[in-house]
Amino acid sequence: MSSVVLLLSGPNLNLLGTREPDVYGTETLDDHVATATATAAVHDLEIEHFQSNHEGELIEAIQGARDRVAAIVINPGALTHSSWAIHDALAAFSGVIVELHLSNPKARESWRHVSVVAPVATGSIVGFGGDGYRLAIEAVAAQLAP
Ligand code: DQA
């Protein structure tokens, strides 16, 4: 079985560190990728990270993960609340899927309360800030454990 975990970051997450730090914290995306990579190493897993502000590029990354990686951890940013195309791409992936958010969308504006990704995810980790990246990889490792 593959030991690769694809970590996907959606629109505007490249701005973490300076983007609404009161909501998303001051750590950068590179910091979060480092957390995920260090956690993965403990479990003999390898992180492959891809960030895009473009829905189609994220869909192509999900398609490219089929039959190649063991799990996808995805923070789709605002596409969480609207992208049925990402929903469908994830539905065609047969491994573990973790939906990840720094903030707790359910505690925010009403338009963030719906996730079209959640129904095709194995589970969701929300609201724990940067620690969510560690928790998401721990969850993947537990799911992949024999
Ligand atoms: C987010 C939550 C989304 O509602 C928002 O659009 C983001 C970030 C989070 O990590 O908390 O871009 O996915």
Side-chain angles (χ1 to χ4, degrees):
M1 204 224 295
S2 168
S3 61
V4 177
V5 179
L6 178 63
L7 176 61
L8 284 178
S9 302
N12 300 307
L13 296 180
N14 54 311
L15 300 181
L16 288 175
T18 55
R19 172 195 182 200
E20 299 181 80
D22 46 320
V23 178
Y24 299 117
T26 53
E27 287 179 295
T28 65
L29 186 56
D30 280 352
D31 293 333
H32 297 314
V33 174
T35 297
T37 302
T39 309
V42 172
H43 298 283
D44 290 325
L45 296 170
E46 186 188 330
I47 296 292
E48 196 179 286
H49 177 246
F50 179 67
Q51 188 277 331
S52 178
N53 294 322
H54 303 279
E55 184 177 18
E57 287 188 352
L58 293 165
I59 290 163
E60 279 167 9
I62 295 165
Q63 289 184 5
R66 298 177 76 211
D67 302 322
R68 187 179 70 79
V69 315
I72 295 176
V73 175
I74 181 166
N75 183 344
L79 291 172
T80 304
H81 316 297
S82 63
S83 179
W84 290 104
I86 286 180
H87 168 111
D88 280 353
L90 289 170
F93 175 78
S94 57
V96 174
I97 299 171
V98 177
E99 176 192 17
L100 172 63
H101 299 286
L102 291 154
S103 67
N104 176 0
K106 288 238 166 47
R108 301 179 63 194
E109 304 97 315
S110 57
W111 61 269
R112 295 186 205 270
H113 294 184
V114 171
S115 167
V116 300
V117 170
V120 289
T122 310
S124 304
I125 291 175
V126 307
F128 294 104
D131 197 36
Y133 285 78
R134 179 186 66 80
L135 294 168
I137 302 304
E138 292 288 358
V140 166
Q143 289 288 311
L144 296 179

